[in-house]
Amino acid sequence: MPPDEPAEDELWLGRLAAGDERVLGELYDLFGRLVYGVALRVTRNREAAEDVTQEVFTFIWERPLAFDPGKGTMRSWLGLLAHRRAVEYVRAEERRRRALQAVEAPPPDPDIAEEVAAAEVGGRVQSAVEALPAALREVVELAYFKGRSYRQAAEDLGLAEGTAKSRIRIALRRMADALAEEGLSP
C-alpha cells in the first residue's frame, strides 16, 4: 500500500512541479494499478482503461499544480481523476455509438406498391376535383391545395363565409361519392 502522508504528497508535488521525470515513474509504480483498476471498473474495457491511465498520468505531468494537498491525498486525487476520465470516455463512446447508428441506419426503403397506390389515389382525387363545377372546384382548390381557411377562401372569392363553407361541404360530398363509385372509400 503506497504511503498517504501529506508530507510525502508535498514532496511529490514539488518534484512534479520542478519537472523531475523520476517522480512520474514512482507515482506510476505506486498508483498505476489503482488508476487502471478504477478506469477498468468504469469503462469495462481494458484498452480504454489503459488509455485513461495514460491520460491521468499525462495530466499530472503537464499540470502538477492541479493537485492540492490541502484537499486530499495524491492517492485519492488520482483515483478521482481516473474516475472522471473514465466516465468522460464512456459518455464519449455512447455519443459516438449513437451518432454512428444514426449515420449507418439506412432510411427505410419506400414500399413501391404503396407509392404506386398513393399515386393512383392521388390521380383519382385530382380527377374528382376536376369533375366538380367551377364554383365548387375553386373553393376546394383554395382550401385544400393552397392551404387557405374557409374564411380566407370566402374572402378571396368574394363570397360569404357560410357560402364558402357550404360549397366546400358539397364539393367534398360529391368527391366522396365519385371516389366511392370507383371503389375508394374516404
Side-chain angles (χ1 to χ4, degrees), residues 7 13 15-16 31 48 70 78 88-89 93 109 124 128 158 163 168:
L13 176 60
R15 291 175 60 201
L16 278 170
F31 301 113
L78 290 172
E88 288 171 8
Y89 175 87
E93 282 300 303
D109 290 336
R124 289 183 180 181
T163 303
I168 291 172

Side-chain angles (χ1 to χ4, degrees), residues 33 61 68 100 125 140 143 145 160-161 172:
R33 290 181 63 184
W61 177 250
D68 181 356
L100 281 175
V125 168
V140 166
F145 297 111
E161 289 180 11
L172 292 177

Side-chain angles (χ1 to χ4, degrees), residues 45-156:
N45 177 309
R46 291 181 189 270
E47 190 175 303
E50 289 171 4
D51 289 346
V52 167
T53 301
Q54 182 178 350
E55 285 179 28
V56 167
F57 283 97
T58 300
F59 177 82
I60 66 170
W61 177 250
E62 292 173 348
R63 295 174 196 87
L65 298 179
F67 171 62
D68 181 356
K71 292 184 178 180
T73 64
M74 179 68 76
R75 176 183 179 77
S76 64
W77 185 60
L78 290 172
L80 178 67
L81 283 177
H83 185 266
R84 285 181 182 166
R85 294 294 165 106
V87 168
E88 288 171 8
Y89 175 87
V90 169
R91 288 178 179 160
E93 282 300 303
E94 180 62 24
R95 283 190 304 274
R96 186 189 64 76
R97 185 187 61 75
R98 276 185 270 160
L100 281 175
Q101 284 177 343
V103 169
E104 290 175 356
D109 290 336
D111 183 13
I112 300 300
E114 286 179 18
E115 285 185 19
V116 169
E120 185 177 334
V121 169
R124 289 183 180 181
V125 168
Q126 186 62 40
S127 294
V129 169
E130 290 170 2
L132 292 171
L136 299 178
R137 186 175 55 248
E138 286 177 322
V139 74
V140 166
E141 287 176 344
L142 284 172
Y144 288 94
F145 297 111
K146 295 189 178 166
R148 308 290 284 168
S149 70
Y150 76 90
R151 287 186 175 122
Q152 292 169 327
E155 187 178 308
D156 291 351

